[in-house]
Amino acid sequence: MSDTGLRQKAARLRRAYAPHEHRPLGGYLVAMGAYAGVTGALAGLVKVTGRPVPERPATSDVVLLSIATHKLSRLLSKDAVTSPLRAPFTRYDRPIGSGEVMEQVRDSGSPTRHAIGELLSCPFCLAVWVATGLTGGLVLAPRLTRLVATALTAVAASDFLQMAYATAQQAAEGGHDDD
């Protein structure tokens, strides 16, 4: 099939998939290819280094990486301080509290840029990449990965404590009666 025929077929597929909305299917394919490449590179590094892959990860590692994945995904996708990483792909919309911001994906006509913008501004989407990196790190550099994951888990716990404190403080201030 010629390049033109392939492009026409892809355009028909996009129109059939989302006739009333722009969905950057080509950009999603690029993102999936990049993810497969990263995953393949991690697997290759594990093989080349001869690092043993655990048959079953320890429950403590799963819990640690789960919380660390949550925190790092939110830091990368929503934190105001990390917005320069997302700025080429997103546009600032508004603050959403606790040092986080809401951003809109830039739609510059580039399906890849659009897909990257969606990935970088979505903590749920980014979590797959973060978990893969941390899991690879657990095999390739377990001590360092556990140390980093511990710090991220401590920050996540601190976030919940800060929110609980603020909620308790608001309740205490709202509970005062001026007699």
Short mmCIF file of all heavy atoms in Angstrom, two decimals, residues 121-177:
data_model
loop_
_atom_site.label_atom_id
_atom_site.label_comp_id
_atom_site.label_asym_id
_atom_site.label_seq_id
_atom_site.Cartn_x
_atom_site.Cartn_y
_atom_site.Cartn_z
N SER A 121 -0.15 15.68 31.77
CA SER A 121 -1.08 16.39 32.66
C SER A 121 -2.07 15.45 33.35
O SER A 121 -2.96 15.91 34.06
CB SER A 121 -1.83 17.47 31.88
OG SER A 121 -2.61 16.90 30.84
N CYS A 122 -1.91 14.16 33.17
CA CYS A 122 -2.84 13.18 33.74
C CYS A 122 -2.08 12.26 34.70
O CYS A 122 -1.29 11.42 34.25
CB CYS A 122 -3.48 12.36 32.62
SG CYS A 122 -4.45 10.96 33.20
N PRO A 123 -2.30 12.40 36.01
CA PRO A 123 -1.56 11.54 36.95
C PRO A 123 -1.88 10.06 36.76
O PRO A 123 -1.01 9.21 36.99
CB PRO A 123 -2.00 12.03 38.32
CG PRO A 123 -3.24 12.80 38.11
CD PRO A 123 -3.21 13.32 36.70
N PHE A 124 -3.08 9.73 36.32
CA PHE A 124 -3.44 8.34 36.11
C PHE A 124 -2.66 7.77 34.91
O PHE A 124 -2.18 6.63 34.96
CB PHE A 124 -4.95 8.20 35.86
CG PHE A 124 -5.77 8.64 37.03
CD1 PHE A 124 -6.28 9.93 37.08
CD2 PHE A 124 -6.01 7.80 38.10
CE1 PHE A 124 -7.03 10.35 38.17
CE2 PHE A 124 -6.76 8.21 39.19
CZ PHE A 124 -7.27 9.49 39.22
N CYS A 125 -2.54 8.55 33.85
CA CYS A 125 -1.81 8.12 32.66
C CYS A 125 -0.31 8.00 32.95
O CYS A 125 0.34 7.04 32.54
CB CYS A 125 -2.02 9.12 31.53
SG CYS A 125 -3.75 9.48 31.17
N LEU A 126 0.21 8.98 33.64
CA LEU A 126 1.64 9.02 33.94
C LEU A 126 2.05 7.93 34.92
O LEU A 126 3.19 7.47 34.90
CB LEU A 126 1.99 10.40 34.50
CG LEU A 126 3.42 10.86 34.40
CD1 LEU A 126 3.96 10.76 32.99
CD2 LEU A 126 3.53 12.29 34.91
N ALA A 127 1.12 7.47 35.75
CA ALA A 127 1.43 6.44 36.75
C ALA A 127 1.96 5.16 36.12
O ALA A 127 2.83 4.50 36.70
CB ALA A 127 0.20 6.14 37.60
N VAL A 128 1.49 4.82 34.93
CA VAL A 128 1.97 3.60 34.25
C VAL A 128 3.46 3.72 33.98
O VAL A 128 4.24 2.80 34.23
CB VAL A 128 1.19 3.36 32.94
CG1 VAL A 128 1.77 2.20 32.16
CG2 VAL A 128 -0.28 3.15 33.23
N TRP A 129 3.87 4.89 33.48
CA TRP A 129 5.28 5.13 33.18
C TRP A 129 6.12 5.15 34.47
O TRP A 129 7.20 4.56 34.52
CB TRP A 129 5.43 6.45 32.43
CG TRP A 129 4.86 6.44 31.06
CD1 TRP A 129 3.53 6.38 30.72
CD2 TRP A 129 5.57 6.50 29.83
NE1 TRP A 129 3.38 6.41 29.36
CE2 TRP A 129 4.62 6.49 28.79
CE3 TRP A 129 6.92 6.59 29.52
CZ2 TRP A 129 4.99 6.55 27.45
CZ3 TRP A 129 7.28 6.65 28.19
CH2 TRP A 129 6.32 6.63 27.17
N VAL A 130 5.63 5.85 35.48
CA VAL A 130 6.36 5.96 36.75
C VAL A 130 6.51 4.58 37.39
O VAL A 130 7.61 4.22 37.84
CB VAL A 130 5.65 6.96 37.69
CG1 VAL A 130 6.25 6.90 39.09
CG2 VAL A 130 5.74 8.37 37.13
N ALA A 131 5.43 3.81 37.43
CA ALA A 131 5.49 2.48 38.04
C ALA A 131 6.47 1.58 37.28
O ALA A 131 7.22 0.82 37.90
CB ALA A 131 4.11 1.84 38.07
N THR A 132 6.48 1.70 35.96
CA THR A 132 7.42 0.90 35.17
C THR A 132 8.86 1.29 35.51
O THR A 132 9.72 0.42 35.69
CB THR A 132 7.14 1.09 33.66
OG1 THR A 132 5.81 0.64 33.39
CG2 THR A 132 8.13 0.32 32.81
N GLY A 133 9.13 2.59 35.59
CA GLY A 133 10.48 3.05 35.94
C GLY A 133 10.89 2.61 37.33
O GLY A 133 12.03 2.13 37.53
N LEU A 134 10.00 2.75 38.30
CA LEU A 134 10.33 2.34 39.67
C LEU A 134 10.51 0.83 39.77
O LEU A 134 11.40 0.35 40.48
CB LEU A 134 9.25 2.82 40.65
CG LEU A 134 9.22 4.33 40.91
CD1 LEU A 134 8.01 4.70 41.77
CD2 LEU A 134 10.51 4.81 41.57
N THR A 135 9.68 0.08 39.05
CA THR A 135 9.81 -1.38 39.08
C THR A 135 11.13 -1.80 38.44
O THR A 135 11.83 -2.68 38.97
CB THR A 135 8.61 -2.04 38.36
OG1 THR A 135 7.41 -1.62 39.01
CG2 THR A 135 8.70 -3.54 38.40
N GLY A 136 11.47 -1.17 37.32
CA GLY A 136 12.78 -1.44 36.71
C GLY A 136 13.92 -1.07 37.65
O GLY A 136 14.91 -1.80 37.77
N GLY A 137 13.75 0.05 38.33
CA GLY A 137 14.76 0.47 39.30
C GLY A 137 14.89 -0.50 40.45
O GLY A 137 15.99 -0.72 40.98
N LEU A 138 13.78 -1.11 40.84
CA LEU A 138 13.82 -2.08 41.93
C LEU A 138 14.67 -3.30 41.56
O LEU A 138 15.33 -3.88 42.42
CB LEU A 138 12.39 -2.52 42.27
CG LEU A 138 12.18 -3.26 43.58
CD1 LEU A 138 12.66 -2.44 44.77
CD2 LEU A 138 10.71 -3.62 43.74
N VAL A 139 14.70 -3.64 40.28
CA VAL A 139 15.52 -4.77 39.83
C VAL A 139 16.97 -4.31 39.60
O VAL A 139 17.91 -4.97 40.01
CB VAL A 139 14.95 -5.39 38.53
CG1 VAL A 139 15.89 -6.45 37.96
CG2 VAL A 139 13.58 -5.99 38.80
N LEU A 140 17.15 -3.15 38.95
CA LEU A 140 18.49 -2.70 38.57
C LEU A 140 19.27 -2.03 39.71
O LEU A 140 20.49 -2.17 39.79
CB LEU A 140 18.40 -1.74 37.38
CG LEU A 140 17.91 -2.37 36.08
CD1 LEU A 140 17.54 -1.30 35.07
CD2 LEU A 140 18.97 -3.31 35.53
N ALA A 141 18.59 -1.29 40.55
CA ALA A 141 19.24 -0.58 41.66
C ALA A 141 18.29 -0.57 42.86
O ALA A 141 17.72 0.46 43.21
CB ALA A 141 19.59 0.84 41.24
N PRO A 142 18.10 -1.73 43.48
CA PRO A 142 17.07 -1.86 44.51
C PRO A 142 17.25 -0.94 45.72
O PRO A 142 16.28 -0.36 46.21
CB PRO A 142 17.12 -3.33 44.92
CG PRO A 142 18.36 -3.89 44.33
CD PRO A 142 18.78 -2.99 43.22
N ARG A 143 18.47 -0.79 46.19
CA ARG A 143 18.68 0.05 47.39
C ARG A 143 18.35 1.51 47.10
O ARG A 143 17.64 2.17 47.87
CB ARG A 143 20.12 -0.08 47.88
CG ARG A 143 20.39 -1.46 48.49
CD ARG A 143 21.82 -1.64 48.91
NE ARG A 143 22.13 -0.71 49.99
CZ ARG A 143 23.32 -0.57 50.53
NH1 ARG A 143 24.34 -1.30 50.08
NH2 ARG A 143 23.52 0.28 51.50
N LEU A 144 18.84 2.03 45.98
CA LEU A 144 18.56 3.41 45.61
C LEU A 144 17.07 3.62 45.33
O LEU A 144 16.48 4.62 45.77
CB LEU A 144 19.39 3.82 44.39
CG LEU A 144 19.18 5.24 43.88
CD1 LEU A 144 19.52 6.26 44.96
CD2 LEU A 144 20.02 5.47 42.63
N THR A 145 16.46 2.68 44.63
CA THR A 145 15.04 2.80 44.31
C THR A 145 14.20 2.79 45.57
O THR A 145 13.26 3.59 45.72
CB THR A 145 14.60 1.67 43.35
OG1 THR A 145 15.40 1.76 42.17
CG2 THR A 145 13.13 1.76 43.00
N ARG A 146 14.51 1.91 46.51
CA ARG A 146 13.77 1.88 47.77
C ARG A 146 13.96 3.18 48.54
O ARG A 146 13.02 3.68 49.17
CB ARG A 146 14.19 0.68 48.62
CG ARG A 146 13.61 -0.62 48.13
CD ARG A 146 13.89 -1.77 49.12
NE ARG A 146 13.44 -3.02 48.54
CZ ARG A 146 14.24 -3.92 47.96
NH1 ARG A 146 15.55 -3.72 47.89
NH2 ARG A 146 13.73 -5.02 47.45
N LEU A 147 15.17 3.75 48.50
CA LEU A 147 15.42 5.01 49.20
C LEU A 147 14.59 6.14 48.59
O LEU A 147 13.92 6.90 49.31
CB LEU A 147 16.92 5.35 49.14
CG LEU A 147 17.34 6.62 49.88
CD1 LEU A 147 17.11 6.46 51.37
CD2 LEU A 147 18.80 6.93 49.59
N VAL A 148 14.60 6.26 47.27
CA VAL A 148 13.81 7.28 46.58
C VAL A 148 12.32 7.05 46.83
O VAL A 148 11.57 7.99 47.12
CB VAL A 148 14.14 7.29 45.07
CG1 VAL A 148 13.16 8.17 44.30
CG2 VAL A 148 15.57 7.76 44.84
N ALA A 149 11.88 5.80 46.73
CA ALA A 149 10.46 5.48 46.96
C ALA A 149 10.06 5.78 48.40
O ALA A 149 8.94 6.24 48.65
CB ALA A 149 10.19 4.02 46.62
N THR A 150 10.96 5.56 49.33
CA THR A 150 10.67 5.88 50.73
C THR A 150 10.48 7.38 50.91
O THR A 150 9.55 7.82 51.59
CB THR A 150 11.81 5.37 51.65
OG1 THR A 150 11.87 3.94 51.53
CG2 THR A 150 11.58 5.75 53.10
N ALA A 151 11.33 8.18 50.28
CA ALA A 151 11.19 9.64 50.37
C ALA A 151 9.86 10.08 49.76
O ALA A 151 9.14 10.91 50.36
CB ALA A 151 12.35 10.33 49.67
N LEU A 152 9.51 9.55 48.60
CA LEU A 152 8.23 9.91 47.97
C LEU A 152 7.04 9.46 48.81
O LEU A 152 6.04 10.18 48.92
CB LEU A 152 8.15 9.29 46.56
CG LEU A 152 9.08 9.90 45.52
CD1 LEU A 152 9.19 9.01 44.29
CD2 LEU A 152 8.61 11.30 45.15
N THR A 153 7.15 8.30 49.43
CA THR A 153 6.08 7.81 50.30
C THR A 153 5.95 8.69 51.54
O THR A 153 4.83 8.99 51.97
CB THR A 153 6.36 6.34 50.68
OG1 THR A 153 6.35 5.56 49.47
CG2 THR A 153 5.32 5.80 51.64
N ALA A 154 7.07 9.14 52.08
CA ALA A 154 7.02 10.05 53.23
C ALA A 154 6.35 11.37 52.85
O ALA A 154 5.55 11.92 53.62
CB ALA A 154 8.43 10.30 53.76
N VAL A 155 6.63 11.87 51.66
CA VAL A 155 5.98 13.11 51.19
C VAL A 155 4.48 12.89 51.02
O VAL A 155 3.67 13.74 51.40
CB VAL A 155 6.63 13.62 49.89
CG1 VAL A 155 5.86 14.80 49.32
CG2 VAL A 155 8.09 14.01 50.13
N ALA A 156 4.09 11.75 50.46
CA ALA A 156 2.67 11.45 50.30
C ALA A 156 1.97 11.38 51.66
O ALA A 156 0.88 11.94 51.84
CB ALA A 156 2.47 10.13 49.54
N ALA A 157 2.60 10.73 52.62
CA ALA A 157 2.02 10.66 53.97
C ALA A 157 1.94 12.06 54.58
O ALA A 157 0.93 12.42 55.21
CB ALA A 157 2.85 9.74 54.86
N SER A 158 2.97 12.86 54.37
CA SER A 158 2.96 14.23 54.87
C SER A 158 1.84 15.04 54.25
O SER A 158 1.18 15.84 54.94
CB SER A 158 4.32 14.90 54.58
OG SER A 158 4.28 16.25 54.94
N ASP A 159 1.59 14.86 52.96
CA ASP A 159 0.49 15.55 52.29
C ASP A 159 -0.83 15.26 52.99
O ASP A 159 -1.62 16.17 53.26
CB ASP A 159 0.37 15.12 50.82
CG ASP A 159 1.49 15.65 49.95
OD1 ASP A 159 2.27 16.50 50.41
OD2 ASP A 159 1.57 15.19 48.79
N PHE A 160 -1.08 13.98 53.28
CA PHE A 160 -2.34 13.61 53.93
C PHE A 160 -2.40 14.19 55.34
O PHE A 160 -3.47 14.65 55.78
CB PHE A 160 -2.53 12.09 53.94
CG PHE A 160 -2.96 11.56 52.60
CD1 PHE A 160 -2.06 10.94 51.76
CD2 PHE A 160 -4.28 11.71 52.18
CE1 PHE A 160 -2.46 10.46 50.51
CE2 PHE A 160 -4.70 11.24 50.93
CZ PHE A 160 -3.78 10.62 50.10
N LEU A 161 -1.29 14.20 56.04
CA LEU A 161 -1.26 14.79 57.38
C LEU A 161 -1.50 16.30 57.31
O LEU A 161 -2.22 16.86 58.15
CB LEU A 161 0.07 14.48 58.09
CG LEU A 161 0.26 13.02 58.47
CD1 LEU A 161 1.69 12.77 58.95
CD2 LEU A 161 -0.75 12.61 59.54
N GLN A 162 -0.91 16.97 56.31
CA GLN A 162 -1.14 18.41 56.15
C GLN A 162 -2.61 18.70 55.88
O GLN A 162 -3.18 19.63 56.44
CB GLN A 162 -0.29 18.97 54.98
CG GLN A 162 1.20 18.89 55.18
CD GLN A 162 1.73 19.87 56.22
OE1 GLN A 162 1.01 20.63 56.83
NE2 GLN A 162 3.03 19.82 56.42
N MET A 163 -3.23 17.89 55.03
CA MET A 163 -4.64 18.08 54.72
C MET A 163 -5.52 17.80 55.95
O MET A 163 -6.49 18.52 56.21
CB MET A 163 -5.05 17.21 53.55
CG MET A 163 -4.50 17.70 52.23
SD MET A 163 -5.08 16.65 50.89
CE MET A 163 -3.64 16.62 49.87
N ALA A 164 -5.18 16.76 56.70
CA ALA A 164 -5.93 16.44 57.92
C ALA A 164 -5.79 17.57 58.94
O ALA A 164 -6.77 17.96 59.59
CB ALA A 164 -5.45 15.12 58.51
N TYR A 165 -4.59 18.11 59.07
CA TYR A 165 -4.36 19.22 59.99
C TYR A 165 -5.18 20.44 59.57
O TYR A 165 -5.83 21.07 60.40
CB TYR A 165 -2.87 19.57 60.03
CG TYR A 165 -2.55 20.69 60.99
CD1 TYR A 165 -2.31 20.42 62.33
CD2 TYR A 165 -2.50 22.01 60.55
CE1 TYR A 165 -2.02 21.46 63.22
CE2 TYR A 165 -2.23 23.05 61.44
CZ TYR A 165 -1.99 22.77 62.76
OH TYR A 165 -1.72 23.79 63.64
N ALA A 166 -5.15 20.77 58.28
CA ALA A 166 -5.90 21.92 57.78
C ALA A 166 -7.40 21.72 58.01
O ALA A 166 -8.11 22.65 58.41
CB ALA A 166 -5.61 22.15 56.30
N THR A 167 -7.89 20.51 57.79
CA THR A 167 -9.31 20.20 58.02
C THR A 167 -9.66 20.34 59.50
O THR A 167 -10.69 20.93 59.85
CB THR A 167 -9.65 18.78 57.51
OG1 THR A 167 -9.36 18.73 56.12
CG2 THR A 167 -11.10 18.43 57.76
N ALA A 168 -8.80 19.81 60.37
CA ALA A 168 -9.03 19.92 61.81
C ALA A 168 -8.98 21.38 62.27
O ALA A 168 -9.79 21.81 63.10
CB ALA A 168 -7.99 19.09 62.57
N GLN A 169 -8.06 22.14 61.70
CA GLN A 169 -7.95 23.56 62.05
C GLN A 169 -9.20 24.32 61.62
O GLN A 169 -9.74 25.12 62.37
CB GLN A 169 -6.70 24.15 61.40
CG GLN A 169 -6.35 25.53 61.89
CD GLN A 169 -5.03 26.01 61.31
OE1 GLN A 169 -4.67 25.64 60.18
NE2 GLN A 169 -4.32 26.82 62.06
N GLN A 170 -9.68 24.05 60.42
CA GLN A 170 -10.92 24.70 59.95
C GLN A 170 -12.11 24.31 60.83
O GLN A 170 -12.95 25.16 61.15
CB GLN A 170 -11.20 24.31 58.49
CG GLN A 170 -10.28 24.97 57.51
CD GLN A 170 -10.49 24.45 56.08
OE1 GLN A 170 -11.16 23.44 55.87
NE2 GLN A 170 -9.91 25.14 55.12
N ALA A 171 -12.18 23.05 61.23
CA ALA A 171 -13.28 22.60 62.09
C ALA A 171 -13.20 23.30 63.45
O ALA A 171 -14.22 23.71 64.00
CB ALA A 171 -13.23 21.09 62.26
N ALA A 172 -12.00 23.44 63.97
CA ALA A 172 -11.83 24.10 65.28
C ALA A 172 -12.20 25.57 65.20
O ALA A 172 -12.84 26.12 66.10
CB ALA A 172 -10.40 23.93 65.77
N GLU A 173 -11.81 26.23 64.12
CA GLU A 173 -12.13 27.65 63.95
C GLU A 173 -13.61 27.86 63.71
O GLU A 173 -14.19 28.84 64.17
CB GLU A 173 -11.32 28.24 62.79
CG GLU A 173 -9.85 28.38 63.09
CD GLU A 173 -9.02 28.76 61.88
OE1 GLU A 173 -9.59 28.90 60.77
OE2 GLU A 173 -7.79 28.88 62.04
N GLY A 174 -14.24 26.93 63.01
CA GLY A 174 -15.67 27.04 62.74
C GLY A 174 -16.51 26.67 63.94
O GLY A 174 -17.68 27.03 64.01
N GLY A 175 -15.93 26.00 64.91
CA GLY A 175 -16.67 25.54 66.09
C GLY A 175 -16.73 26.56 67.21
O GLY A 175 -17.37 26.33 68.23
N HIS A 176 -16.07 27.72 67.08
CA HIS A 176 -16.10 28.74 68.13
C HIS A 176 -17.42 29.50 68.09
O HIS A 176 -17.83 30.01 67.07
CB HIS A 176 -14.94 29.74 67.95
CG HIS A 176 -13.61 29.15 68.26
ND1 HIS A 176 -13.22 28.85 69.53
CD2 HIS A 176 -12.57 28.79 67.45
CE1 HIS A 176 -11.98 28.34 69.50
NE2 HIS A 176 -11.58 28.29 68.23
N ASP A 177 -18.09 29.57 69.22
CA ASP A 177 -19.30 30.36 69.35
C ASP A 177 -18.98 31.63 70.11
O ASP A 177 -18.36 31.59 71.16
CB ASP A 177 -20.39 29.60 70.10
CG ASP A 177 -20.97 28.48 69.27
OD1 ASP A 177 -21.52 28.80 68.19
OD2 ASP A 177 -20.88 27.33 69.69
#
